[in-house]
Amino acid sequence: MKKLEDRADIEVLVNRFYDKVGRDEKIGFFFNDVAKVDWSQHLPKMYAFWETLLFGQISYKGNPMAVHFPINAEVPIEKDHFAHWLALWTETVEENFTGEMADLAIYKATNIANLMAHKMEVARR
Ligand code: HEM
């Protein structure tokens, strides 16, 4: 299988992941109905986000936590939702790529998803 090694690979991975997310029974509605995401805006942000995390290319300059609070205030994003997000991410990475960067993509997503789940829970108290 192919190694995850450049920006083009990230675009493939992110496109395939959000293709699943958008059609997903458990978490798709956050994107389609709650946030009403404009995919043509969201996807390039996510390419930049992952390029920054994995390759140290500082192309993403946003605040990844901040956008999730207003969504969480409208409809709670629960631990189970994050676990499902992470399962889809891990599955998509493993279906398409191998190697150190693929492992790192799973490792970093795990850490951020856990931290985000915790922050969302605290914000609801
Ligand atoms: C079930 C869990 C999650 C849900 C429902 C969710 C939902 C969303 C939605 C709806 C947006 C678009 C907001 C908008 O543009 O209006 C968004 C943006 C984003 N999400 Fe998530 N997300 C989840 C988990 C994660 C995780 C685990 C990460 C990181 C590994 C992440 C990283 C980001 C980033 C970087 C953005 C773009 C932020 C920006 O605009 O700069 N999300 N998310």
Side-chain angles (χ1 to χ4, degrees):
M1 204 187 297
K2 199 192 172 310
K3 280 195 172 174
L4 176 59
E5 56 194 353
D6 59 21
R7 163 81 184 209
D9 293 340
I10 287 182
E11 293 187 12
V12 168
L13 173 60
V14 166
N15 288 343
R16 290 185 182 164
F17 174 65
Y18 284 103
D19 185 47
K20 288 187 188 188
V21 166
R23 292 184 281 110
D24 187 80
E25 271 186 3
K26 294 198 180 96
I27 61 170
F29 75 96
F30 283 111
F31 295 82
N32 298 319
D33 306 324
V34 182
K36 299 188 175 68
V37 163
D38 176 347
W39 294 103
S40 70
Q41 301 268 322
H42 183 61
L43 294 174
K45 268 188 216 166
M46 299 314 294
Y47 306 149
F49 176 71
W50 283 106
E51 191 177 36
T52 301
L53 282 186
L54 298 180
F55 303 128
Q57 277 285 338
I58 316 297
S59 45
Y60 176 77
K61 295 206 179 73
N63 180 344
M65 285 294 162
V67 301
H68 300 86
F69 288 106
I71 300 165
N72 180 57
E74 215 172 306
V75 182
I77 319 178
E78 309 272 4
K79 268 205 164 64
D80 281 358
H81 294 124
F82 282 101
H84 190 65
W85 184 105
L86 191 60
L88 285 181
W89 176 257
T90 303
E91 177 188 277
T92 313
V93 173
E94 288 177 347
E95 277 168 357
N96 294 285
F97 296 102
T98 185
E100 214 175 294
M101 284 301 163
D103 293 345
L104 196 61
I106 294 171
Y107 178 77
K108 293 213 168 181
T110 306
N111 287 342
I112 298 168
N114 287 337
L115 179 65
M116 211 182 261
H118 177 69
K119 291 200 177 219
M120 295 307 130
E121 199 192 313
V122 170
R124 293 196 299 270
R125 280 180 195 159

